[in-house]
Amino acid sequence: MAEYDAVFIGSGINSLAGGALLAKAGWNVCVLERNDYLGGAIKTSTDLTAPGFTHEVFSSWHPLFAGSAAYGELADDLHRNGLEYLNTELPTGSVFPDGSSAFLTTSLEGNVAELDRHAAGDGAAWERQFNEFMANADLSFGVLGVELWSGQGLSLGIKAYRRLGARGLLEFTGRGLATCRDWVTATFHSDQAHGLLAPWVLHTGLGPDNAVSGFMTQVIACAVQLGGMPVPRGGGVTLVDALATVIRSAGGELRTGAEVERILVSGSRATAVRLSSGETVTAGQAVIASVTPTQLYGRLLAEWEVPRAAWESARRFRYGRAGMQIHIAMDELPQWRGDERLPRTAIVHLTPGLDGVSRAVNEAERGLLPAEATIVAGQPCAVDPSRAPEGKWIVWIQLQDLPAGRVRGDAAGQIDVGDGTWTETLREAYADRIIVRLGQQITNLERSILKRVVLSPADIEALDCNLVGGDIYAGSCALDQNLLWRPFPRSPGHATAVGGLYLIGASTHPGPGLGAGSGYLVAKELTKPPLPKRLLARLPGRR
Ligand SMILES: Cc1cc2nc3c(=O)[nH]c(=O)nc-3n(C[C@H](O)[C@H](O)[C@H](O)COP(=O)(O)OP(=O)(O)OC[C@H]3O[C@@H](n4cnc5c(N)ncnc54)[C@H](O)[C@@H]3O)c2cc1C
């Protein structure tokens, strides 16, 4: 008898949500985590900067989880166990070097007025785009929510064909391939609208000149208007704790400090894992690995246990641009230059505009520190005031346009990058550049910093080994490694060539973010009723 029905490797959002769904379906679940905390890229810290400040070390914003199928099913359990979402009507804005700014709110009328403020007609263009998107929102969200390489994916395609016809479907798909640049410039006149929307494409791991980035920008813009920018009261740890409680309450177990070093295969089936301590943990139904394909095929499985082609594809799996986090505890509330809405906005992008976003991505892709990065200035206290003592403030800064691998130089020609490794000196020098720019918009920033903590790409990888090279999205999201092709065409979806072994996590479809999509899809696959029962359920008069 195996000790558990399912063993999860890693405790990121996909494992925790998948584990909670399996546990609720009666499975005996075990989650094994190598770190000394649960949650992976959800890590809330109260001792990062100064007493009374609660920081999200990595992920901070939960629109993807709050809009997810997993949350749809688990919400009651999670709320009972302490999770509470707070939200805002001012989810995002961009501020430009001349001090002007543009905002995306949770109101359609508000957004029409805001976009018209910059160029007459842009408001109507947004309304048209939004309505067009919503007419087929089930298809667009479906692409990002179903197992594409499966009967589910086929059903989605048939539904699209029936609704749109052959030519319509071809047009719909073709439009979906467009770049963000092509979409925003064809739709809106003002530079402010372009500069408001383009930075969001970075949050999907793409750049504004990549294929499908236009589709991703539309999805995000519509989702932000519909769902705002929710955060859990008190931090992401409350979501992690609530999911862990669901698993424990059903008799499951979660262990930290438990590094899996090998998946044990018997008769072409994964039956157990071996920890680095030498202990073996057995799984009767499934081993579900929330790791990178590189780790799965290069370390956890032996070469002879998987088809050569899958092994070689995994070796070619590419990691994308790196990220940096800068955490700031401020002794005062921020004094933003310009629009009075800026201090109330959850996420403000600092950018010269569409071309600036594109230039910084291009510099990073050529191995350079961007001269003018797109700065993501998150203000968690604008949504959840409990994160800092009264009268004080947190700025959660994210940079998503740093070189993958060694840094080859500085596009501004100012910073000596040494041998290109992320030393403390290089990390702090680059952070200084960012703080100086942000200080031009938040005029009291520099004088009121109580403490700043910077995480370089190397620091990020050290905290979560799935974020290889500091790639915060655990694998390049370029089209050839996205959607149907994630993690790679030889092994699309989540089942692997080894029976009972599934690969989930940000490196797999539907990709990075807190949407818990891969954990959800695998849990549903494992608990779906047998085929005869499903067919019977489709008979007329049956539900
Ligand atoms: C800095 C940063 C900011 C982000 N901001 C946001 C945001 O605001 N909103 C959003 O939606 N998304 C955000 N993301 C993306 C999102 O957080 C991640 O895509 C998501 O959390 C990844 O979840 P996951 O299930 O893939 O696993 P991860 O969270 O990556 O966790 C994987 C876990 O597996 C463990 N592990 C790996 N190998 C082993 C092994 N052999 N044995 C045992 N344990 C192992 C690791 O230690 C890790 O804890 C951000 C990501 C980063 C890094």
Side-chain angles (χ1 to χ4, degrees):
M1 272 289 279
E3 295 156 275
Y4 299 97
D5 297 319
V7 170
F8 283 86
I9 306 174
S11 68
I13 185 66
N14 287 289
S15 292
L16 293 177
L21 289 162
L22 287 181
K24 271 180 67 73
W27 285 46
N28 189 11
V29 166
C30 177
V31 177
L32 300 168
E33 169 56 54
R34 71 195 281 274
N35 283 339
D36 60 4
Y37 70 95
L38 298 173
I42 310 176
K43 180 171 166 58
T44 306
S45 174
T46 50
D47 54 16
L48 191 69
T49 56
F53 289 83
T54 302
H55 293 270
E56 297 289 31
V57 178
F58 296 128
S59 54
S60 178
W61 312 98
H62 287 224
L64 289 179
F65 188 75
S68 72
Y71 182 58
E73 287 195 24
L74 293 167
D76 289 346
D77 298 273
L78 299 177
H79 295 165
R80 240 191 333 273
N81 289 302
L83 176 70
E84 182 193 350
Y85 274 119
L86 302 171
N87 212 335
T88 171
E89 290 167 6
L90 266 175
T92 189
S94 280
V95 62
F96 305 105
D98 64 359
S100 69
S101 46
F103 298 84
L104 193 63
T105 73
T106 52
S107 139
L108 174 59
E109 300 72 40
N111 292 332
V112 168
E114 173 66 9
L115 290 166
D116 270 341
R117 183 168 76 89
H118 298 290
D122 275 3
W126 168 248
E127 186 165 14
R128 213 169 28 250
Q129 283 290 319
F130 178 72
N131 291 335
E132 264 177 34
F133 179 88
M134 290 312 289
N136 291 306
D138 56 336
L139 304 179
S140 298
F141 288 122
V143 168
L144 300 172
V146 306
E147 190 71 90
L148 292 173
W149 190 255
S150 75
Q152 258 188 349
L154 189 63
S155 302
L156 184 70
I158 293 170
K159 182 177 176 184
Y161 171 75
R162 287 200 176 128
R163 185 183 304 164
L164 305 171
R167 293 288 168 94
L169 180 55
L170 202 59
E171 188 187 1
F172 183 76
T173 320
R175 278 202 204 164
L177 296 175
T179 67
C180 167
R181 176 184 295 281
D182 287 341
W183 176 64
V184 294
T185 53
T187 310
F188 305 105
H189 290 107
S190 81
D191 289 342
Q192 284 85 353
H194 305 163
L196 172 65
L197 296 169
W200 273 102
V201 87
L202 302 179
H203 297 261
T204 69
L206 296 170
D209 299 298
N210 287 134
V212 298
S213 59
F215 169 71
M216 294 295 188
T217 315
Q218 287 176 57
V219 171
I220 293 195
C222 294
V224 163
Q225 179 180 291
L226 292 167
M229 198 54 65
V231 299
R233 187 193 291 278
V237 67
T238 61
L239 170 60
V240 172
D241 287 348
L243 287 165
T245 305
V246 174
I247 295 173
R248 282 196 197 101
S249 314
E253 201 185 347
L254 300 106
R255 291 170 59 181
T256 53
E259 168 145 28
V260 174
E261 64 169 21
R262 191 82 168 76
I263 293 168
L264 304 179
V265 178
S266 165
S268 309
R269 234 193 125 70
T271 54
V273 301
R274 192 175 67 226
L275 306 185
S276 50
S277 63
E279 184 190 348
T280 297
V281 182
T282 54
Q285 305 282 337
V287 171
I288 303 165
S290 180
V291 301
T292 59
T294 326
Q295 186 186 173
L296 181 68
Y297 292 95
R299 176 183 180 225
L300 300 181
L301 291 166
E303 215 177 310
W304 65 86
E305 285 164 345
V306 287
R308 182 92 202 147
W311 186 82
E312 278 179 357
S313 301
R315 214 164 39 88
R316 285 197 298 269
F317 186 75
R318 303 190 313 280
Y319 292 91
R321 291 189 308 275
M324 175 180 272
Q325 290 292 124
I326 306 177
H327 298 286
I328 291 180
M330 281 176 72
D331 205 18
E332 300 170 11
L333 300 180
Q335 292 166 11
W336 284 88
R337 191 159 73 95
D339 200 299
E340 59 79 26
R341 289 173 287 182
L342 287 165
R344 294 187 283 122
T345 303
I347 297 181
V348 181
H349 289 113
L350 269 75
T351 170
L354 169 62
D355 283 343
V357 177
S358 167
R359 190 167 49 242
V361 165
N362 179 271
E363 286 166 354
E365 281 171 358
R366 287 184 290 119
L368 304 177
L369 299 174
E372 218 172 357
T374 303
I375 302 175
V376 185
Q379 306 190 94
C381 301
V383 192
D384 177 6
S386 80
R387 304 288 180 92
E390 208 175 329
K392 303 187 192 301
W393 200 250
I394 285 175
V395 194
W396 173 98
I397 300 172
Q398 183 176 51
L399 305 163
Q400 304 181 77
D401 41 21
L402 287 170
R406 269 171 195 269
V407 181
R408 292 210 210 126
D410 175 17
Q414 291 162 351
I415 298 177
D416 175 3
V417 302
D419 68 359
T421 53
W422 280 100
T423 60
E424 189 182 329
T425 314
L426 179 57
R427 178 185 74 194
E428 298 301 321
Y430 188 67
D432 286 345
R433 169 178 297 168
I434 301 301
I435 296 303
V436 167
R437 263 185 66 213
L438 188 55
Q440 287 158 7
Q441 302 293 348
I442 302 179
T443 53
N444 62 339
L445 178 72
E446 293 192 62
R447 70 157 195 261
S448 65
I449 293 180
L450 281 173
K451 187 162 178 190
R452 96 173 184 200
V453 173
V454 188
L455 298 180
S456 73
D459 301 323
I460 288 174
E461 181 176 7
L463 287 167
D464 181 345
C465 64
N466 286 6
L467 311 176
V468 176
D471 171 2
I472 63 173
Y473 297 134
S476 160
C477 296
L479 183 54
D480 66 308
Q481 261 190 196
N482 212 332
L483 303 171
L484 261 178
W485 300 274
R486 197 164 183 88
F488 40 80
R490 284 280 171 183
S491 187
H494 304 95
T496 67
V498 177
L501 175 63
Y502 297 84
L503 178 61
I504 61 169
S507 306
T508 69
H509 180 69
L514 296 177
S518 55
Y520 178 86
L521 290 172
V522 168
K524 288 289 132 183
E525 174 65 24
L526 290 172
T527 52
K528 75 180 178 197
L531 187 62
K533 225 171 163 180
R534 294 206 308 276
L535 291 175
L536 269 176
R538 285 191 185 178
L539 290 177
R542 297 265 199 148
R543 285 175 62 85

